Amino acid sequence: MAELKAGRLLEEFRARFPHSQPAAVAWGPGRVNLLGEHTDYNDGFVFPMAIDAGIQIAGALNGTSQVNLYSLNYAAEESFLLEEIAPSEKNPWANYLKGVFWQFQKLGYKPQGADLVIQGNVPQGAGLSSSAALEVAAALLLATLHSWRLDAVDLVKLAQKAENEFVGVACGIMDQFASMLGQEDHALFLDCRTLDYEAVPLPLAERGLAVAVVNSGVRRGLAGSEYNTRRRQCEEAVQLLRERIPGIKALRDVGAEHLNLVNELPDPLAKRARHVVTENARVLEGVAALKAGDLEKFGRLLNASHESLRDDYEVSCRELDLLVELALEVPGVLGSRMTGAGFGGCTIALVPQTSLPAFKEHVQSEYQRRTGIEPEIFSFRPAPGARVTAGADLRS
Ligand code: GLA
């Protein structure tokens, strides 16, 4: 992915706010989840990586109680008063930023008025967490502008709460965590219950492999409401299973040894719970396989994850299934699955670098022929997490 330069952002800031100077620029990357889908809000395991595409925000405090936002991508502006933060219907993108201001207030901080200009190069509505990237960049920027001392995990939780409570999506913690704490050439093995994590090296280049990301072009229309439904179904499954497995708090506590009890749940709860139980096991196996250098096994786990998301969790769609099928038809491809919440968005595939041209050609032409949609194919690098540039570095 071509690097996003701050030059245009700073120029726009100076043109829009001539009486001010940008005091800091924050960057929040998007993410690709390699394994562990719909497990984060079940206290389970995930294995995402931050990517080299994301959102950048330049900002300065303005000495008033008004916040002025300008999005370069949308060529749209939005202003609001700190004492009246309400969701915007006209500019949904602004709600992620408003949510972060609001969440700081809820925690007892007193954010001041500010001028912010935003630009991004992560595709939106594609399941690559452009919203988490925006929230994380905003949280980091505000903490910097006000010199508040919060550690990275506090900012992650704040960003997640902004989305849960202000935007109204009951997302888990994976996306914000990956965006904040990603590391170059590593994926993060995260325990979503304890928030313990380990950066695991991704030996892709030395094994001649790449993670190809294919955007189905299907916007995740159902994602919000169906996502919240899945979450509720998991909670219902836990309630019923608690009668048989005392003391469990979340599906995380249900192991493979309990699958017979899971299978006895009424449908669709049995299917939903089975996905989460088997997916958690796949993350553990996948991390072990990577550490042992067994990329072939990692690939097979990607395939199994997709089947489970398609058949048990039922969050795939025809287009995502087709992309996975087409990927697996290319010789040498080790595995493929949908990534993110589902109902559209992207798939990933583990592809030998030498097969990339054949992969692109086959997936692009066949997908377009069968759906009429031209897919976008990206090759992201596992990238570092959020960061902020401030002070003298901005003037150069
Ligand atoms: C979305 C949510 C995450 C996670 C994934 C599914 O990306 O924001 O918290 O639940 O879906 O794994």
Side-chain angles (χ1 to χ4, degrees):
M1 193 83 190
E3 200 192 329
L4 193 60
K5 296 269 194 286
R8 170 99 179 76
L9 188 71
L10 296 174
E11 235 170 69
E12 184 71 33
F13 185 99
R14 291 182 182 118
R16 291 204 158 256
F17 307 110
H19 305 299
S20 177
Q21 272 295 325
V25 173
W27 163 257
R31 66 95 189 92
V32 161
N33 188 19
L34 297 178
L35 209 49
E37 217 65 83
H38 290 277
T39 45
D40 61 350
Y41 52 83
N42 288 298
D43 275 4
F45 303 111
V46 292
F47 194 48
M49 65 183 209
I51 57 176
D52 54 334
I55 308 262
Q56 211 169 33
I57 313 178
L61 300 180
N62 61 18
T64 72
S65 60
Q66 178 162 316
V67 177
N68 304 307
L69 308 173
Y70 182 74
S71 159
L72 269 164
N73 296 74
Y74 291 102
E77 58 190 15
E78 172 94 12
S79 292
F80 62 95
L81 291 173
L82 285 163
E83 51 275 23
E84 290 168 21
I85 308 184
S88 163
E89 272 175 34
K90 201 170 96 223
N91 292 312
W93 56 269
N95 291 335
Y96 300 97
L97 294 140
K98 290 182 170 193
V100 170
F101 275 91
W102 177 82
Q103 194 59 41
F104 270 116
Q105 287 179 340
K106 257 195 101 182
L107 290 176
Y109 292 87
K110 302 216 169 348
Q112 299 167 35
D115 301 324
L116 308 180
V117 178
I118 301 115
Q119 72 170 347
N121 63 351
V122 60
Q124 293 177 26
L128 298 174
S129 291
S130 55
S131 38
L134 183 52
E135 291 150 2
V136 162
L140 190 58
L141 181 71
L142 287 192
T144 306
L145 293 177
H146 294 87
S147 308
W148 291 326
R149 294 204 169 280
L150 284 101
D151 70 24
V153 174
D154 288 335
L155 290 174
V156 166
K157 291 181 184 162
L158 184 146
Q160 181 203 8
K161 280 225 166 114
E163 178 139 358
N164 292 163
E165 296 173 9
F166 193 84
V167 181
V169 178
C171 67
I173 201 160
M174 167 171 71
D175 305 342
Q176 291 80 3
F177 204 98
S179 177
M180 184 67 86
L181 287 141
Q183 288 186 24
E184 187 155 25
D185 296 328
H186 290 71
L188 292 185
F189 169 41
L190 169 67
D191 178 335
C192 298
R193 169 170 282 167
T194 61
L195 299 188
D196 288 338
Y197 69 99
E198 181 190 348
V200 179
L202 284 179
L204 296 176
E206 59 261 44
R207 296 289 301 269
L209 292 166
V211 176
V213 177
V214 189
N215 186 356
S216 66
V218 178
R219 302 274 299 183
R220 299 178 309 135
L222 279 173
S225 63
E226 287 293 324
Y227 185 92
N228 292 349
T229 307
R230 294 295 180 285
R231 226 186 138 142
R232 236 190 358 265
Q233 290 169 336
C234 290
E235 282 158 17
E236 280 171 38
V238 172
Q239 297 232 319
L240 292 178
L241 285 169
R242 202 177 284 136
E243 294 166 12
R244 311 285 296 277
I245 321 169
I248 61 164
K249 293 199 172 67
L251 286 177
R252 149 71 176 279
D253 302 311
V254 181
E257 69 279 15
H258 297 126
L259 273 178
N260 54 333
L261 298 178
V262 167
N263 289 336
E264 284 168 14
L265 290 170
D267 261 330
L269 303 189
K271 296 204 272 185
R272 305 298 185 252
R274 190 161 61 219
H275 165 72
V276 176
V277 172
T278 57
E279 185 78 351
N280 273 327
R282 279 186 286 273
V283 176
L284 298 177
E285 274 186 72
V287 171
L290 259 191
K291 287 181 176 172
D294 191 348
L295 275 302
E296 288 72 18
K297 177 160 185 199
F298 192 75
R300 288 195 298 275
L301 290 163
L302 296 186
N303 297 339
S305 170
H306 186 76
E307 284 163 22
S308 178
L309 287 158
R310 181 191 64 202
D311 301 337
D312 277 349
Y313 220 62
E314 297 180 285
V315 290
S316 186
C317 61
R318 192 174 65 85
E319 291 84 355
L320 290 173
D321 294 343
L322 176 60
L323 283 177
V324 167
E325 267 166 48
L326 295 175
L328 295 178
E329 283 166 11
V330 178
V333 169
L334 297 184
S336 179
R337 68 176 200 89
M338 54 155 274
T339 185
F343 303 106
C346 291
T347 59
I348 56 171
L350 201 52
V351 186
Q353 274 163 12
T354 50
S355 307
L356 272 175
F359 177 88
K360 286 184 181 156
E361 153 62 27
H362 182 64
V363 172
Q364 217 140 30
S365 59
E366 274 305 294
Y367 185 73
Q368 189 156 8
R369 189 177 69 77
R370 284 162 65 177
T371 63
I373 307 171
E374 189 180 342
E376 282 173 292
I377 304 186
F378 307 98
S379 172
F380 295 115
R381 277 191 309 108
R387 61 180 176 273
V388 72
T389 319
D393 291 347
L394 280 181
R395 285 187 277 279
S396 52

